[in-house]
Amino acid sequence: MQSSKKTWILALIYITLITIPLSLIQFHILSDELIISDHHKITHKKHPNLPLRFNSDGTFKILQVADMHYGTGLTRCRDVLSSEFEWCSDLNTTLFLKRMINLEKPDFIAFTGDNIFGSSTDDAAESLFKAFGPAMESKLPWAAVLGNHDQESTMTREELMSFISLMDYSLSQPNPSTQVVTEIDGFGNYDVRVWGPPGSHLANHTIFNLFFLDSGDRAVVDGFKTYGWIKESQLSWLRGASKGHYQEHHQPDKIPSLAFFHIPIPEIRSGPFREIYGEYREHVACSRMNSGVLKTLVSIGDVKAVFIGHDHLNDFCGNLDGVWFCYGGGFGYHGYGRAGWSRRGRVIVAQLKKGKNEWMGVESIKTWKRLDDEKLTKIDEQVLWTSD
């Protein structure tokens, strides 16, 4: 009887020791260098080669991926031809991303929100691993912001950005490392610097900058439901970061920059555009609140183009007061689209100016899109900005 009781106690201790770590794993415990997630081993984060640099040919290429709307990996497609529906799933999104990476060979990947479709998965971490899987497998540096659907599963927006920041090769940040979290709204406000080509006189200088901003999810204003918006605290940080780059490097001109966020600003709905290039296919879904994003961008002067998502059928670039706003176009197959209208991704290329014997600063920024068809057809190539 005594031996049986002793065996029972040892068994209870063993079960307790096993259960506690498993419960911690289920809650995705995070540390500065480790990710602990169910279905995944405890691993050290793999870091990309830093700093980011222009290539020896004077180019820096970015792949924008908007609105993957990833579910479980096997979640059904929306708005595809009836002949495609039976075999179409999230895996088509994965395959499209892999094909784009293999063809374009970008230097950096920017995910602009609604990376996962929270209501279609009961495990946000697992969906994130699958959605960003091709980027991590490619070992390319990448970064992400959140949309209005990412947080609808098992993680808050703060937890999502913390988790994403710890994924392999991710340069994402929950918020600026120089700012107290309580002093800035949202999660996912940060900047990524790009240095000059190796061996050049620009090799130790930031010559191109990428800003990421959290445009929120949903809100209620004066009793009306609306989408989120970029707050004044974020714009204040943006102004300070822009000024800091300029002063830090003592450059005669401001460093050309790009910005990435999810939800369009109200001016994209109201216009007027100086120019428009691409397809304007659906009503612009934006916030009722105008927080002065366009005014801020115009005043700081360094952001030449902004890349957004949210409205999947829009893939145009429109010029507002000298700043280009470009939709990525719907990338993911679980996101809404239009049957027979190909999913698409956007490519952005910054090119340096060639001096007599060395590279100078950024000379031009251009963009194009590719369709998820048999040939990954290239469309709508345009120049967004030149230094002249």
Side-chain angles (χ1 to χ4, degrees), residues 158-170:
E158 181 176 10
E159 291 167 342
L160 284 164
M161 280 311 303
S162 294
F163 195 86
I164 290 170
S165 73
L166 295 172
M167 299 178 81
D168 288 346
Y169 305 105
S170 170

Side-chain angles (χ1 to χ4, degrees), residues 176 178-179 190-193 206 208-213 234-251 253-259 296-304:
T178 57
Q179 189 113 9
Y190 57 98
D191 67 306
V192 175
R193 303 182 182 195
T206 298
F208 193 48
N209 199 58
L210 312 175
F211 291 110
F212 293 82
L213 292 162
Q234 296 165 272
L235 295 177
S236 176
W237 165 76
L238 180 62
R239 288 188 289 265
S242 171
K243 184 177 180 180
H245 292 322
Y246 178 62
Q247 293 176 336
E248 178 182 344
H249 296 282
H250 309 289
Q251 308 234 5
D253 300 306
K254 289 198 171 184
I255 298 170
S257 304
L258 306 178
T296 296
L297 295 178
V298 171
S299 69
I300 62 177
D302 53 353
V303 175
K304 309 305 179 184

Side-chain angles (χ1 to χ4, degrees), residues 10 18 29 36 45 49 61 81 119 131 145 153 162 182 184 202 224 241 245 251 271 283 290 335 341 350 371:
L10 289 173
I18 292 296
I29 303 302
I36 305 178
K45 174 179 175 174
N49 292 326
K61 182 185 286 187
L81 298 173
S119 59
V145 290
S153 181
S162 294
T182 55
I184 187 167
L202 300 172
F224 293 94
H245 292 322
Q251 308 234 5
H283 178 74
N290 190 327
W341 197 69
L371 309 180

